[in-house]
Amino acid sequence: MSRADRLREALPDRLAALVSTVRFGQFVSVGAIGAVFDVTTLVVLTELAGLPAAVANVVSIETAILVMFTVNERWTFASHGEAGARSIGRRLVRSHLVRAGGSTLQYVLFVAVFYNVTVDLSLAGVDLWLVVVKGGAIGVAMLVNYVFESLFTWQVHRE
């Protein structure tokens, strides 16, 4: 019996449903795609459009949420939830509500670190400190989002 199987047997159903290395790997892969959209949008809006980082961060987070929801809907959680526009719409709303916690955590961490810790880290005129802080905040929020998206948006414990 594998370590994951032993862990699943020891945990209540909701927690055991989270112990899927395949689904977690897919979620992280989707998160990496979302992070690329998130960071790219942030850099473009701050460096090229001149928006303040705090404002650009809100737009970049929403962009990533929509991209990740779409990929998760079609791949990571494709076998969960009912088909149809109405069901997908409900999951999109639930996803936004769930991700509000992770997004708020990401935003607060980003703003707290970016505006209070100064590190001169630039390359070719691009502020890489912006990217480093954003990446760290995304990583922390990703763990929170995995748990809540799995349990509430796609309800994987109902397999």
Side-chain angles (χ1 to χ4, degrees):
M1 181 180 298
S2 74
R3 184 181 305 172
D5 289 336
R6 286 192 304 271
L7 185 57
R8 264 189 219 99
E9 286 182 5
L11 295 173
D13 289 344
R14 284 184 184 250
L15 294 178
L18 297 175
V19 186
S20 167
T21 55
V22 171
R23 187 171 36 247
F24 184 73
Q26 289 174 314
F27 193 84
V28 170
S29 298
V30 172
I33 293 167
V36 167
F37 276 87
D38 197 338
V39 172
T40 301
T41 303
L42 179 67
V43 169
V44 166
L45 292 176
T46 56
E47 300 293 321
L48 299 179
L51 286 177
V55 173
N57 194 34
V58 172
V59 176
S60 71
I61 288 171
E62 180 60 20
T63 300
I65 287 172
L66 292 172
V67 168
M68 291 183 297
F69 175 82
T70 301
V71 178
N72 276 325
E73 178 71 19
R74 301 279 184 221
W75 184 46
T76 311
F77 301 101
S79 63
H80 300 280
E82 296 176 18
R86 190 173 232 155
S87 293
I88 292 170
R90 280 194 299 269
R91 284 193 296 278
L92 179 60
V93 169
R94 259 195 325 253
S95 179
H96 270 78
L97 292 172
V98 166
R99 284 189 182 264
S103 298
T104 301
L105 176 62
Q106 182 193 136
Y107 183 81
V108 168
L109 286 172
F110 174 81
V111 169
V113 174
F114 185 73
Y115 287 109
N116 292 301
V117 178
T118 303
V119 175
D120 185 22
L121 184 64
S122 60
L123 177 67
V126 175
D127 183 2
L128 293 181
W129 181 237
L130 180 83
V131 175
V132 169
V133 174
K134 181 67 168 176
I138 287 171
V140 171
M142 185 269 311
L143 294 173
V144 171
N145 287 335
Y146 175 71
V147 170
F148 290 98
E149 285 279 42
S150 294
L151 296 178
F152 298 107
T153 302
W154 283 280
Q155 301 177 356
V156 298
H157 57 286
R158 294 186 177 178
E159 292 180 332

